Amino acid sequence: MSNLTSSYTLTNGVQIPKIGFGTWQTPDGQTAVSAVKEALKAGYRHIDTAQAYGNEGSVGEAIQASGVDRSDLFLTTKIWNSNHTYDLTISSFEESLKKLQTDYVDLLLIHWPNPIAYRDDWETANAETWRAMETLYKAGKVRAIGVSNFRVRHLEALKKTATVQPMINQLFLAPGELEPETAQYSREHGMLLEAYSPLGTGKIFSVPEMQELADKYQRSIPQIALRWSLQHGFLPLPKSVHAEYIQQNAQVFDFELANEDMAAIDALDGVVGHAQDPDTATF
């Protein structure tokens, strides 16, 4: 039986737990510290943060306080949009390590492919950021590297200069948003798909079809959404600040959705919104 420590294997052989605990929109300070401590207590061993979330310090504090051995954890952070040069990637990463109170991270991602600060020359900016990430990877400061919100054209551009190919693409993947073209390309090029906002930032709760399935399986709506994500081979990153929901979201390994119910969820369109276009995002 799978559980929270069951893992996918990345192209370089690194194991990554099949569910991660997301911290996007979790405020820095006591809220974030408590949430991450609760997640670790509930058995999560994969924590996802980012420079932009502003809570790396709290994540680091919670890990220290948890008593969980660092080597038993899988920790992700992301390079923010203002740091897309070689030197800024290196220096901002060192800052992230200090905040996280660790000397390595398990996964480092480029957060967005086309930030407004580098829009005139995003391709070069990504190439430089990636080159810095390859340096960190080869130095053993990062166990795996990848991207987030990259579409096919951004991945194609990155491929021109990359000597290490991305191992992960973290995308907005939730009922109603499957990003098929990007997902297919990413998979064909050996990338595992991580699903951020797998509950559609809370919008999932007002989808009647999801409520019907929750009733049918005697489960919560988030449990249905997370099970759907896992059955697609995605790695979902549910976020909550409530102990009860943090635990509940982990209990998705003891049931399976029938094919027709998977298909019914696949047929939903836009019920939690659509992925933002990174080429027009205003940040």
Side-chain angles (χ1 to χ4, degrees), residues 28-46:
D28 196 36
Q30 198 45 53
T31 304
V33 173
S34 297
V36 174
K37 276 165 74 173
E38 283 294 343
L40 294 170
K41 200 166 90 181
Y44 291 83
R45 290 296 176 263
H46 174 180

Side-chain angles (χ1 to χ4, degrees), residues 17 49-50 80 97 159 168 185 219 222 233 243 249 261 283:
T49 184
W80 185 235
L97 288 185
K159 203 164 72 169
I168 277 182
Y185 179 96
R219 295 282 173 161
N249 291 346
D261 295 328
F283 45 81

